[in-house]
């Protein structure tokens, strides 16, 4: 765990009076208020499960025999004999064509915003800026949910938060705010300031980032719409949070703009939603609990219980990644001179972290191997976002330098039966194959939800996410945690996580684990401050050392 430094807190407050942190400042870490005490969270895990199961009555949906039979006896033969061979052939042909003709203009689009020659302008000190927070993308599906959450929690009454919303169309923004105000019965929402921003027009983005302490963005795909925002936040010393799940894009942003962010003091934190706050925080907190018991984390398993839907914006990100993937990711990987470098292992001072996290992610269904009675006789399936969560967990551990021994990371989604586990697993494979195939992909774009569409209000209200973490130390000490979100993890809860992440960046700087600017994971920068905010606003969390039987 990062060691706390009292002088770092003093320096942080001194730096707040200027727009930028000095470039020569060492990368010191701020002291947490609870660093001298014991682990500050409740240990009653059973009460969290009780509330979820018996009060909220949340359980994963049961897919049943019909869905299993269709998957096993129709889907599997079709996939093996027709779809898979066809996809292998068409994907190989596509790759061959890209290699033959070379990258097209899309290949540079991930960094096309970069402009070293533009005129420098005076930058307002962050403390003197008009807004604490600006929400970019308010008319999108998750953006509307974020605006609704902001309106419920921080609009009206004695609320002192200075915030605004941003997007391309004044008409659409006004319509969105009006509909939310009518739904909540809060007319003050329509008086919230509106900023017109087109991420392809740099001047409009400058106007936004120069007038706020923090930008939170729901505008994806981020590789298409996010680069200019990240660049200018880094240059203007403006903090930034988003809900991307695009690891390659985030790494590209780090390579390009981290040195600038270090100079200006901008703290940029991606993956501030369902991808990947619950898992990033869980692993960090399990590690701290074991360290309090005199042990060190070497193995962690996250067991996910969830129910929810998918939005068109999420699917659009997958499609965008695949449409430009060969040009922008695979081809650049094949030809890059930096193929051996991994920015996720880079520390704020530029050195390489010695922490090692090994993947133990499953590829097939299996019985739950966790010893907890809750998971006895239940089955597990690979979780579709586990590969992304693994990367962010790895980044968080690298930054916190909390482990000297290699850590194995495993993550699964839990179902009630083998049939449900198999159906879910094969459904992911079938849908993924149809999306990856360059021939069937256009049909999937038509059949699946479009950007702006997503689960209904009832589906999101019925949804939930519960992450049980189980850690083992080098001496065999075992610890268990549970983090429960009572609404759809991918959307309603993601909006809440994003807003609270932005407020934590803007208002809770004295509680951060790092003083200086740069790119961080949520847990590495603001683990306890963020969890405190989430728990105060609906999330339930508990963690304990498991007693030996």
């Amino acid at each position: 765990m990062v060691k706390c430094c009292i002088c770092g807190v003093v320096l942080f407050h001194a730096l707040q009076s200027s727009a930028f942190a000095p470039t020569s400042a060492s990368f010191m870490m701020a002291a947490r208020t609870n660093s001298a005490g014991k682990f500050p969270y409740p240990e009653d895990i059973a009460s969290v499960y009780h509330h979820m199961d018996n009060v909220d009555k949340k359980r994963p949906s049961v897919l049943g025999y019909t869905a299993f039979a269709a998957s096993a006896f129709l889907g599997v033969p079709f996939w093996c004999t027709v779809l898979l061979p066809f996809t292998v052939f068409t994907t190989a042909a596509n790759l061959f064509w890209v290699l033959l003709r070379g990258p097209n203009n899309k290949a540079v689009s991930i960094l096309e915003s970069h402009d070293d020659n533009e005129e420098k302008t005076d930058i307002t000190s962050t403390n003197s800026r008009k807004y604490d927070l600006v929400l970019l993308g308010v008319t999108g599906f998750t953006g509307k949910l974020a605006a609704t959450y902001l309106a419920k929690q921080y609009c009206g009454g004695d609320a002192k938060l200075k915030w605004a919303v941003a997007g391309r169309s004044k008409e659409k923004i006004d319509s969105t705010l009006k509909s939310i105000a009518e739904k909540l019965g809060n007319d003050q929402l329509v008086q919230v300031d509106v900023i017109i921003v087109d991420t392809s027009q740099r001047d409009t983005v400058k106007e936004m980032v120069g007038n706020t302490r923090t930008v939170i963005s729901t505008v994806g795909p981020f590789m298409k719409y996010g680069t200019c925002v990240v660049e200018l936040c880094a240059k203007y010393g403006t903090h930034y949070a988003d809900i991307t799940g695009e690891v390659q894009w985030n790494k590209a942003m780090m390579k390009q703009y981290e040195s600038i962010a270090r100079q200006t003091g901008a703290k940029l934190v991606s993956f501030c939603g369902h991808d990947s706050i619950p898992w990033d925080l869980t692993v960090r907190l399990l590690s701290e609990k074991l360290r309090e018991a005199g042990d060190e984390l070497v193995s962690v398993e996250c067991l996910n219980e969830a129910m929810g839907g998918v939005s068109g914006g999420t699917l659009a990100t997958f499609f965008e990644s695949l449409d430009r993937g060969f040009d922008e990711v695979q081809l650049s990987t094949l030809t890059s001179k930096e193929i051996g470098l991994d920015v996720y292992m880079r520390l704020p001072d530029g050195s390489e972290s010695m922490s090692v996290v090994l993947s133990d992610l499953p590829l097939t269904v299996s019985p739950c191997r966790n010893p907890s009675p809750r998971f006895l006789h239940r089955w597990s399936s690979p979780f579709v976002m586990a590969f992304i969560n693994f990367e962010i967990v790895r980044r968080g551990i690298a930054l916190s330098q909390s482990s000297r021994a290699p850590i194995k990371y495993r993550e699964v989604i839990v179902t009630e039966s083998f049939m449900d586990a198999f159906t879910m697993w094969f459904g992911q494979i079938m849908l993924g194959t149809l999306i990856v195939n360059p021939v069937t992909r256009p049909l999937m774009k038509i059949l699946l939800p479009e950007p702006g569409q997503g689960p209904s209000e009832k589906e999101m209200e019925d949804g939930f996410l519960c992450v049980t973490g189980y850690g083992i130390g080098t001496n065999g000490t075992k610890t268990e945690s549970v983090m429960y979100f009572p609404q759809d993890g991918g959307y309603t809860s993601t909006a809440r996580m994003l807003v609270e992440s932005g407020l934590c960046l803007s208002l809770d700087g004295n509680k951060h684990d790092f003083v200086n600017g740069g790119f961080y994971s949520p847990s590495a920068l603001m683990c306890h401050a963020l969890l405190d905010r989430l728990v105060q606003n609906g999330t339930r969390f508990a963690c304990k050392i498991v007693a030996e039987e």
Side-chain angles (χ1 to χ4, degrees), residues 206-256:
K206 289 179 186 177
E207 182 72 18
M208 174 184 67
V209 303
N211 280 293
T212 184
R213 301 175 69 182
T214 300
V215 172
I216 57 174
S217 178
T218 64
V219 182
F222 289 87
M223 69 175 67
K224 187 175 183 179
Y225 300 114
T227 298
C228 180
V229 180
V230 168
E231 177 198 347
L232 292 175
C233 280
K235 289 182 176 179
Y236 278 68
T238 303
H239 303 321
Y240 169 87
D242 65 37
I243 55 171
T244 188
E246 301 159 51
V247 171
Q248 292 297 333
W249 173 76
N250 181 245
K251 288 184 175 182
M253 296 300 96
M254 289 181 63
K255 288 181 181 179
Q256 192 72 26

Side-chain angles (χ1 to χ4, degrees), residues 81-345:
T81 60
V82 179
L83 185 58
L84 179 60
F86 180 56
T87 301
V88 170
F89 173 77
T90 54
T91 304
N94 192 23
L95 175 59
F96 177 76
W97 168 244
V98 170
L99 293 174
L100 185 65
R101 65 166 168 79
N104 60 22
N105 291 334
K106 288 182 179 180
V108 298
S109 62
I110 196 170
L111 294 175
E112 65 186 3
S113 168
H114 186 62
D115 185 356
D116 287 326
N117 298 317
E118 68 182 353
E119 182 180 353
K120 303 297 182 183
T121 58
D122 292 335
I123 299 176
T124 304
S125 166
T126 53
N127 280 346
S128 302
R129 294 185 183 180
K130 186 175 182 180
Y131 305 111
D132 298 315
L133 189 77
V134 170
L135 167 61
L136 176 61
V138 65
T139 60
F141 188 81
T142 307
K144 292 177 184 176
L145 296 173
T148 301
Y149 178 77
L150 271 165
K152 283 182 177 179
Q153 299 296 116
Y154 302 104
C155 186
D158 297 329
K160 297 179 180 179
L161 180 70
K162 298 177 293 183
W163 63 285
V165 296
R168 287 183 298 180
S169 169
K170 179 73 162 58
E171 182 180 355
K172 289 183 178 179
I173 294 174
D174 288 343
S175 176
T176 297
L177 294 179
K178 182 179 179 181
S179 66
I180 296 173
E182 291 175 351
K183 176 183 175 182
L184 299 179
N186 185 352
D187 293 337
Q188 293 188 29
L189 182 60
V190 297
Q191 300 174 14
V192 169
D193 288 355
V194 173
I195 305 173
I196 304 304
V197 174
D198 184 336
T199 58
S200 66
Q201 304 295 320
R202 293 177 64 84
D203 288 342
T204 66
V205 181
K206 289 179 186 177
E207 182 72 18
M208 174 184 67
V209 303
N211 280 293
T212 184
R213 301 175 69 182
T214 300
V215 172
I216 57 174
S217 178
T218 64
V219 182
F222 289 87
M223 69 175 67
K224 187 175 183 179
Y225 300 114
T227 298
C228 180
V229 180
V230 168
E231 177 198 347
L232 292 175
C233 280
K235 289 182 176 179
Y236 278 68
T238 303
H239 303 321
Y240 169 87
D242 65 37
I243 55 171
T244 188
E246 301 159 51
V247 171
Q248 292 297 333
W249 173 76
N250 181 245
K251 288 184 175 182
M253 296 300 96
M254 289 181 63
K255 288 181 181 179
Q256 192 72 26
Y257 303 119
E258 184 156 40
S259 62
I260 298 172
R262 290 174 184 171
Q263 296 173 28
T264 65
K267 297 175 181 177
L268 301 106
V269 188
S270 289
F271 308 97
C272 288
H274 182 275
D275 316 326
S276 302
I277 279 178
W279 297 272
D280 189 30
L281 264 58
T282 290
V283 174
R284 165 80 179 261
L285 294 163
L286 287 171
S287 177
E288 288 189 359
K289 190 67 173 178
L290 280 172
R291 188 171 293 274
E292 184 187 81
D295 212 338
E296 184 176 343
L297 183 69
V298 293
S299 176
V300 60
E301 181 179 33
C302 291
L303 299 103
N304 309 328
E305 298 173 82
M307 187 166 65
V310 64
S311 76
T314 300
L315 294 168
T317 298
F318 288 127
F319 289 132
E320 182 72 19
S321 300
L322 290 166
D323 286 343
R324 63 173 74 186
F326 284 119
D327 290 309
E328 200 164 280
V329 180
Q330 287 94 332
L331 188 61
S332 63
T333 300
L334 290 172
T335 59
S336 175
K337 295 180 181 179
E338 297 184 310
I339 192 168
L341 301 180
D342 186 352
V343 294
Y344 275 9
M345 299 305 293

Side-chain angles (χ1 to χ4, degrees), residues 251-514:
K251 288 184 175 182
M253 296 300 96
M254 289 181 63
K255 288 181 181 179
Q256 192 72 26
Y257 303 119
E258 184 156 40
S259 62
I260 298 172
R262 290 174 184 171
Q263 296 173 28
T264 65
K267 297 175 181 177
L268 301 106
V269 188
S270 289
F271 308 97
C272 288
H274 182 275
D275 316 326
S276 302
I277 279 178
W279 297 272
D280 189 30
L281 264 58
T282 290
V283 174
R284 165 80 179 261
L285 294 163
L286 287 171
S287 177
E288 288 189 359
K289 190 67 173 178
L290 280 172
R291 188 171 293 274
E292 184 187 81
D295 212 338
E296 184 176 343
L297 183 69
V298 293
S299 176
V300 60
E301 181 179 33
C302 291
L303 299 103
N304 309 328
E305 298 173 82
M307 187 166 65
V310 64
S311 76
T314 300
L315 294 168
T317 298
F318 288 127
F319 289 132
E320 182 72 19
S321 300
L322 290 166
D323 286 343
R324 63 173 74 186
F326 284 119
D327 290 309
E328 200 164 280
V329 180
Q330 287 94 332
L331 188 61
S332 63
T333 300
L334 290 172
T335 59
S336 175
K337 295 180 181 179
E338 297 184 310
I339 192 168
L341 301 180
D342 186 352
V343 294
Y344 275 9
M345 299 305 293
R346 187 169 64 195
L347 296 174
D349 63 2
S351 64
E352 183 179 1
S353 173
M354 294 294 102
S355 299
V356 177
V357 183
L358 305 173
S359 172
D360 189 26
L361 301 178
L363 298 177
T364 61
V365 300
S366 63
C368 284
R369 64 189 194 186
N370 188 277
S372 171
R374 181 174 182 83
F375 302 106
L376 190 65
H377 305 308
R378 297 177 74 181
W379 284 73
S380 66
S381 175
F383 184 54
V384 66
M385 306 307 294
F387 292 98
I388 294 171
N389 294 334
F390 167 75
E391 290 288 344
I392 309 313
V393 165
R394 192 167 66 91
R395 174 64 175 159
I397 290 174
L399 283 170
S400 65
Q401 301 189 80
S402 59
S403 176
R404 292 165 295 179
I407 298 174
K408 283 188 177 182
Y409 178 78
R410 178 180 173 86
E411 183 182 341
V412 298
I413 189 162
V414 176
T415 63
E416 297 296 332
S417 67
F418 166 76
M419 291 192 299
D420 286 347
F422 179 87
T423 304
M424 184 177 296
W425 171 68
F426 182 72
Q428 295 176 18
I429 293 174
M430 177 67 83
L431 181 60
T433 307
L434 290 168
I435 291 175
V436 167
N437 189 308
V439 176
T440 56
R441 192 182 311 150
L443 178 61
M444 292 296 99
K445 291 180 180 179
I446 296 173
L447 296 177
L448 295 172
E450 298 179 355
Q453 299 176 338
S456 67
E457 288 191 22
K458 186 178 186 309
E459 287 173 329
M460 290 188 290
E461 186 66 31
D462 291 343
F464 73 98
L465 172 65
C466 180
V467 178
T468 298
Y470 197 83
I472 301 176
T474 54
N475 299 326
T477 310
K478 298 174 183 178
T479 184
E480 185 177 3
S481 70
V482 59
M483 188 177 295
Y484 166 55
F485 298 84
Q487 295 174 317
D488 187 297
Y491 300 101
T492 308
S493 295
T494 282
R496 180 160 59 90
M497 285 186 263
L498 175 65
V499 170
E500 296 300 345
S501 295
L503 295 177
C504 194
L505 285 169
S506 188
L507 306 178
D508 299 338
N510 62 326
K511 300 178 183 179
H512 293 175
D513 286 325
F514 289 87

